[in-house]
Amino acid sequence: MTGTGGEEMGVQAARSRALAVLRVRSRALAVALLPAAAAVILVAGGATGHLTGGVWGALRWVVSGLALLVLAAAVAVALVVARARPAVTPTVTVDEESAPDLYGMVRDLADRLDVPAPSAIALTPDCDSWLEDRTHPAHGRPPPAPEPDGATLPGGPAPRRGDAAPVLVIGSPFLWWMRVGELRAVLAPVVAGTGPSAHPDIAAARRFIRGLDAAAAVVSAGGRRGPLSRAAHGGLGRVVRLLLRGCRVHAAEMERGVAWAAAERAQAVDYGVRIVAQEQVGLAYAGWDRLLTRVALPAWRMGRWPARLDVGVVAALTELSRRDRLAEGFASRLGERPACDLLEEPGAMDEAVSLLAARLFHGGPSGASPDWSPVGWDDYPEEVVDRTWRTDAARLHRVLDALGVRRAAGHTAPGTGGPTLARVLDHLTTPADEASPGALPTPAPATDPAPATAPDPATAPGAAPTRAQAAEPAEHARRAESPGSAEPAGGDGSVTRTGSPADAAPRRPPAPAYGDHDTHGGHLATHPHVAQPDAAHLEADLPGGDSDDPPGHRRATPAAPATPAAAPTPATAAAVDEADDEADDDDLAGTTARGAALAAGLSAQLAREEAEASVTGAGAPDAPPAAAAPTAGPAPDPALWDDRALPLLPLQPPRTGREILTAHVTAMVCCAAMDTAGAVPGLDWLDGPSLLFDGVRAADLAPSVLTLVETGDPGPLRTWMTELGIRPEKPVRLV
């Protein structure tokens, strides 16, 4: 059924379910008042002379005491539910002065749908749009609702929180990629959800559910001391979970009815355009995912955040359209007005959203600092790509020094004992006498009279590393090294992050409340949630990987801290090591013994640097929000932040040992290509850092590096380098 009949049925279904939720609340209140009612009856009976005697007197005291205890517990539960702060998505608020055209479009859309207009508009880095209730006192003063008559008396009473309409949250990639008509069509079902949200029963049921959600989050938070406090929170948790279980089915059906009613109401507005716009929604998901994981993540790891992420979305989606052979349809829509023109200062808004994305997906600081600064797309190849490769190459040679690998190979000329690619190739190459199954290679003894770094005691020079011994450098770094005791990083440009050690551990965001959930074109627009992380595509991450295959249209599975975080305490490190032993063995089973030892050393070094960065940043507070951008502009809402749970949406799981080793060897090859063959760093909008020869992206590098890492055969890589004129025996410049 469509039209008004379907909409009315959706509203009725949502209202009936809302009443069922409220009945659960009423039953809980009745159960809390039942002992008090019994006590009143007993007291009244004794006062009137009907219930007299020793038994009735004792029963009167017992029931009265029980009633007082139950009432006190009920009041405590009610206070916690009322005072708990519901989960709210961090966003960048768009003031009406900075986007009058956008507010005008949304209000015109609300008028056509005959629903209340949203109270405010906010932007999120996610590819989604939804309505969010922010009427709780902890979320600040509600924005004034527009008066139909035009004006209110100065100093008049502020609107009640229950009367404030929800906030419309728009995914910023939609604004930069879509045209105005497409954005209007996509937002129509979302804005239509303000109608059912204004219904008193539905609004009351939603407030009750959100309060229970927030109370459950308070109960689940750790850090309580004392048996009395734990017992009180345990009882509170049982009551809250019991109420949530009773409301769960009704709340889900209520939101389904609200979405049904909103979709039916929105069918009369731009229905044909919405079908076309949904294709752009799927394309935006794919391009945004690739931009975050392949382009933004390497910059975040280096302490830089791209200041124009949404502009990069347009470039990435343009490239994706070209590769998917969608250029014909894409070119026809370029003549229409882009939705970002609805903003007065799209550049400043893009910068604020870009900083918010860095905080959500990577856990960066709240403002600019010497170790956390914005970078433009024109400077990205030099400031991020080149620096990343040279930093990884420097780390690779430091670990080789720690393993006792000599600097110069036997066939190299004098004076070439610097950091060379030949040193890496010779170490990873499996000798002929060790190629038989079960044979373990023996690293060459350290002959350099003055190594750059003292050998690591975890691995003695000349010892044949077994699988357990290969993991000892990582274990030694995590258990025996304290932050700052490792060899100095020097000018290697290692990643520096500010924040507490807890920031390095990805946490799941709080479960979304049963709030304003609506649909647009069949997609459920809800509070953002964490998708399951996808497996890393190893070859596509390398500069020479094949990138012509278009990615699937999936949610951006937002990236864990790039490097494995080093635990600051031996107990935590032991727990992490015990949990990861089996996975590490499986990952390194496809490499040689020398490769496994080198991968373990690189993992330990990365963990050491992460621990040092965490300790260094713990004592330095974040810069104020005003310093987040060179120019004055909007900033993420400070009232919505909880810095103890950053990053909220980690993009990827930590890299495995083989992935770390492959990335470092690839970086060394790229440095040799730049220093000896005239190659330059480049940026691919869908695959991130790339190596360019005469403006053409280098190909076939990823399979050659994988062959070296997995089998110890340098033949394909040496052939590739010979064809391009790369000289592995020449020293390279490191950071």
Side-chain angles (χ1 to χ4, degrees):
M1 182 176 293
T2 60
T4 306
E7 176 191 344
E8 184 65 24
M9 291 183 61
V11 174
Q12 291 179 359
R15 182 175 180 273
S16 64
R17 294 293 182 169
L19 292 177
V21 172
L22 297 179
R23 281 195 293 271
V24 173
R25 184 182 66 178
S26 300
R27 292 192 189 103
L29 180 61
V31 170
L33 294 178
L34 185 60
V40 169
I41 293 174
L42 292 175
V43 171
T48 57
H50 291 83
L51 302 176
T52 58
V55 175
W56 289 107
L59 184 61
R60 186 179 301 113
W61 282 106
V62 171
V63 173
S64 299
L66 177 63
L68 290 176
L69 290 177
V70 172
L71 286 177
V75 170
V77 172
L79 287 177
V80 172
V81 172
R83 294 173 61 87
R85 176 176 176 172
V88 178
T89 309
T91 56
V92 176
T93 300
V94 181
D95 297 328
E96 187 170 1
E97 294 78 9
S98 61
D101 293 343
L102 181 60
Y103 272 83
M105 184 196 75
V106 172
R107 285 173 181 164
D108 178 70
L109 189 59
D111 291 340
R112 291 187 59 185
L113 294 170
D114 194 21
V115 295
S119 59
I121 299 177
L123 297 184
T124 176
D126 197 9
C127 283
D128 210 343
S129 298
W130 66 91
L131 293 172
E132 192 165 86
D133 186 0
R134 297 182 179 178
T135 58
H136 193 273
H139 300 152
R141 180 184 177 92
E147 292 292 335
D149 296 336
T152 57
L153 293 177
R160 294 182 303 168
R161 292 189 174 272
D163 298 337
V167 175
L168 174 62
V169 182
I170 305 175
S172 63
F174 294 163
L175 276 175
W176 267 260
W177 174 243
M178 291 184 174
R179 310 294 103 178
V180 173
E182 295 170 348
L183 180 66
R184 178 189 181 94
V186 168
L187 292 181
V190 185
V191 175
T194 60
S197 299
H199 195 284
D201 294 334
I202 296 176
R206 283 175 165 176
R207 285 195 298 270
F208 178 59
I209 293 295
R210 280 193 295 269
L212 292 178
D213 279 340
V218 170
V219 171
S220 62
R224 296 174 192 85
R225 299 178 180 177
L228 183 60
S229 177
R230 287 195 295 269
H233 282 85
L236 174 63
R238 284 190 289 271
V239 173
V240 170
R241 285 190 291 270
L242 179 63
L243 293 176
L244 281 175
R245 281 195 296 269
C247 300
R248 179 168 48 195
V249 176
H250 299 302
E253 293 297 327
M254 177 184 68
E255 298 303 337
R256 188 172 289 110
V258 169
W260 179 11
E264 291 290 343
R265 181 180 288 268
Q267 281 189 355
V269 179
D270 300 332
Y271 181 74
V273 181
R274 190 179 312 127
I275 298 176
V276 179
Q278 287 305 312
E279 299 177 1
Q280 305 304 322
V281 171
L283 195 63
Y285 271 98
W288 181 244
D289 181 16
R290 296 292 288 263
L291 183 76
L292 287 182
T293 57
R294 307 294 175 84
V295 178
L297 183 57
W300 294 338
R301 288 170 175 168
M302 298 304 298
R304 309 295 297 273
W305 51 277
R308 296 291 187 271
L309 268 183
D310 289 310
V311 172
V313 171
V314 178
L317 293 177
T318 302
E319 178 66 15
L320 184 61
S321 300
R322 183 188 65 81
R323 295 185 186 182
D324 284 350
R325 296 175 176 84
L326 301 176
E328 295 80 4
F330 169 72
S332 63
R333 57 190 293 275
L334 286 182
E336 303 175 13
R337 184 188 182 191
C340 62
D341 280 356
L342 299 174
L343 303 173
E344 290 293 319
E345 297 181 0
M349 196 65 64
D350 191 3
E351 190 163 356
V353 174
S354 300
L355 179 59
L356 176 60
R359 301 208 70 197
L360 283 175
F361 300 138
H362 190 68
S366 61
S369 66
D371 298 323
W372 183 250
S373 57
V375 60
W377 293 124
D378 293 337
D379 300 328
Y380 185 93
E382 185 68 25
E383 296 292 333
V384 176
V385 179
D386 182 85
R387 183 184 172 195
T388 299
W389 287 342
R390 298 191 185 278
T391 300
D392 289 349
R395 184 182 300 112
L396 178 61
H397 281 278
R398 287 201 306 272
V399 174
L400 289 175
D401 291 337
L403 293 176
V405 179
R406 58 187 179 185
R407 284 254 171 178
H411 60 274
T412 55
T416 58
T420 63
L421 177 59
R423 181 193 189 198
V424 179
L425 297 179
D426 292 341
H427 177 69
L428 291 177
T429 299
T430 302
D433 57 351
E434 297 176 0
S436 59
L440 293 175
T442 302
T447 58
D448 193 345
T453 309
D456 195 329
T459 304
T466 63
R467 183 69 61 198
Q469 290 171 336
E472 287 181 2
E475 183 178 358
H476 174 73
R478 291 174 180 169
R479 303 191 183 197
E481 296 274 356
S482 60
S485 63
E487 57 269 14
D492 61 352
S494 57
V495 180
T496 303
R497 288 177 51 199
T498 59
S500 63
D503 293 344
R507 303 181 183 179
R508 296 182 64 87
Y514 289 98
D516 303 291
H517 296 186
D518 305 285
T519 61
H520 52 82
H523 174 69
L524 185 62
T526 64
H527 190 289
H529 57 279
V530 175
Q532 294 298 327
D534 296 335
H537 300 285
L538 183 58
E539 293 190 13
D541 285 336
L542 302 179
D546 185 8
S547 61
D548 291 336
D549 296 335
H553 290 181
R554 58 185 175 85
R555 283 292 295 267
T557 25
T563 57
T569 61
T572 306
V576 172
D577 289 341
E578 182 179 356
D580 293 342
D581 276 345
E582 183 177 352
D584 291 342
D585 289 342
D586 293 340
D587 173 66
L588 297 177
T591 63
T592 63
R594 289 186 178 185
L598 186 55
L602 289 171
S603 300
Q605 179 65 21
L606 283 170
R608 216 182 280 120
E609 293 174 4
E610 182 72 15
E612 292 173 358
S614 300
V615 172
T616 302
D622 290 344
T631 58
D637 307 325
L640 307 180
W641 278 110
D642 182 7
D643 289 343
R644 297 168 297 177
L646 292 177
L648 295 178
L649 304 171
L651 284 176
Q652 292 175 340
R655 292 180 293 178
T656 62
R658 183 166 57 175
E659 291 172 347
I660 292 174
L661 175 60
T662 304
H664 282 72
V665 174
T666 302
M668 187 63 200
V669 174
C670 293
C671 291
M674 291 187 294
D675 292 347
T676 66
V680 295
L683 169 62
D684 186 284
W685 289 110
L686 295 177
D687 294 314
S690 59
L691 186 66
L692 304 179
F693 286 90
D694 297 328
V696 180
R697 184 179 178 184
D700 301 330
L701 174 57
S704 303
V705 173
L706 288 176
T707 301
L708 173 64
V709 170
E710 294 176 353
T711 66
D713 180 14
L717 183 57
R718 289 188 182 276
T719 301
W720 181 86
M721 292 189 298
T722 301
E723 293 175 353
L724 295 175
I726 302 174
R727 302 181 61 183
E729 74 280 359
K730 301 291 288 184
V732 299
R733 177 176 60 87
L734 303 179
V735 175

